[in-house]
Amino acid sequence: MSLLVVGSVAIDTVEAPGGRAEDVVGGAALYFSLAASFFTPVRMVGVVGADFPRSVLADLARRGVDLAGLEERPGRTFRWSGRYHEDVNVRDTLHLDLGVFGDFRPTLPAGYRDSRYVFLANIDPVLQASVLDQLHAPGLIGCDTMNHWIAESRPALERLLGRVGMLVINDEEARLLSGERNIVRAAARILSMGPHSVLIKRGEYGIIQFAGQSVFAVPAFPLEEVTDPTGAGDCFAGGVMGELARSGDTSPAGLRRAIVYGSVMGSFVVEDFGPRRLLQLTREAIDRRYRQFVSLTDLDGG
Amino acid sequence: MSLLVVGSVAIDTVEAPGGRAEDVVGGAALYFSLAASFFTPVRMVGVVGADFPRSVLADLARRGVDLAGLEERPGRTFRWSGRYHEDVNVRDTLHLDLGVFGDFRPTLPAGYRDSRYVFLANIDPVLQASVLDQLHAPGLIGCDTMNHWIAESRPALERLLGRVGMLVINDEEARLLSGERNIVRAAARILSMGPHSVLIKRGEYGIIQFAGQSVFAVPAFPLEEVTDPTGAGDCFAGGVMGELARSGDTSPAGLRRAIVYGSVMGSFVVEDFGPRRLLQLTREAIDRRYRQFVSLTDLDGG
């Protein structure tokens, strides 16, 4: 089943544990699309400037990402530069230039309006809602957000959450959104806002998911080196939504499997700068690491 | 199989998320013994002053803890007072009075020298080694330590680690001991010092265990309230060693089951101040929570 993602496409410069990398492509929609493309066809809606490398568009197309919804406009692509701390769960933004992303108004090609699986990556919640307004009959709607919108656009965000099935955020965002420090109470508060499940990203500690009375935890994959954490959360979301769109199984067990696939994709992307690792990845490597994830918590393993 | 623990017995005053509690009994050996007593008979070696409540000794004896190795000396019991941060993984020591614990020299009763399962709770590594010297043929030796000994007594600690099978420490201690920030590299470095397994406690994120090439992770139990985190790590160790001594199964799978039982015991003790929750606990409640732990990471669950 086709999967729609709407979000940023960017050119990043990062100072990460593995060193410095200049002008690597990134952005939530790009990472999400590449990760999801290993599971299902992806429709990507975003905007790039004239400076965006065309070879990357060819890479995306080769991986089955439909680019009919990617606007190309005169001007510069959204640029972000940041520095990760020794604790890679923390990063500072050094420079931000919105470029053509500054007046991005997502418009779905007519052929995208029937999308059943939809992911609203982190953008203004008013724009996220405008995407939903353009859809005929969305099935599962996933959504990300960030501290800025929680603090500055809470009414719009709360209206949006009433229309969202699955919220994917990090623990700091979950605490800010809910006003609760304890993660169990934070999740209960968020579920009362609308989503039927909330997936909380905890960096090097993995994922915890709350859905109704059910709680599911996946540890992060124990990596000896994290070269560049950029895109881990977006690749996680791409793996989750990609596997759900592929299987069509949104039962509790189907969701748990998808969360492990998401964790697999997040664990790969950090092994190299930008999306490099994803571009060399095979389905076999994904399934091999899926089995390693299972053995991480397998009581009969070792 | 009988399990020996050597460590502190204390009277604590804590300011914790659940409020303030004065003069509650504690100490690593006490928490460890109570937790382990649900699995196997325990021999406890420590020292208390004349001020230690006799009713607690009766509670311990009733739970099958052998107190022949608990010295009672004139003077005051070790007293600790501390304050937990909003983030309960962090605490400040407000006051420390070693009392009779200041010149504790552990001496095993003759009947304890045949102990096969041994846990060296956090004390001076020179004293920990002196305990091993008194044992005839220890089987599995578990060990805890803390930042103070890592920084101030590294040679003695490194000699000790060559004699230890299982090290149980927190992530900050693992980083300090190994000089590695990455937890996978930290664990590899620690395993090269002697222990065949290292169990790293990550507070609200649970446990990660490294043994040879095997990695096992258990999330923390998602609790809505943590009343008093004191003793969580010691009860974890007590559950692990208690279950191993009971089953005699130190295979990788046996170790994984024991780690879940340890996590269960750690999750109970924080529900009330001091050891109160442990004193009301039943074996049925332990097994019920064990099944909840399994479902936390069960791919077919939900």
Side-chain angles (χ1 to χ4, degrees), chain A residues 86-88 171 175 181-185 188 202 204-205 208 210-211 214-226 252-254 256-257 260 290 294-302, chain B residues 86-88 171 175 181-185 188 202 204-205 208 210-211 214-226 252-254 256-257 260 290 294-302:
Chain A
E86 200 189 0
D87 172 354
V88 294
D171 42 10
R175 290 184 171 120
R181 171 151 189 97
N182 176 286
I183 211 70
V184 182
R185 285 206 301 268
R202 304 197 281 183
E204 70 175 291
Y205 302 107
I208 188 160
F210 295 83
S214 154
V215 188
F216 179 55
V218 183
F221 192 72
L223 289 169
E224 285 202 25
E225 300 279 351
V226 171
R256 287 179 171 211
R257 273 195 307 277
V260 176
Y290 182 94
V294 171
S295 82
L296 259 184
T297 57
D298 179 6
L299 270 171
D300 300 316
Chain B
E86 200 190 359
D87 172 354
V88 295
D171 42 8
R175 289 182 172 122
R181 170 149 191 98
N182 176 286
I183 211 70
V184 182
R185 285 206 301 267
R202 305 198 280 183
E204 70 175 291
Y205 301 108
I208 189 160
F210 296 83
S214 154
V215 188
F216 179 56
V218 183
F221 193 71
L223 290 169
E224 285 202 26
E225 299 279 351
V226 171
R256 288 180 170 210
R257 274 195 306 276
V260 177
Y290 181 94
V294 171
S295 82
L296 259 184
T297 56
D298 180 6
L299 269 172
D300 300 316

Side-chain angles (χ1 to χ4, degrees), chain B residues 235-258:
Chain B
C235 288
F236 168 73
V240 173
M241 292 291 299
E243 166 62 11
L244 288 172
R246 183 202 66 75
S247 70
D249 178 3
T250 55
S251 72
L255 197 46
R256 288 180 170 210
R257 274 195 306 276

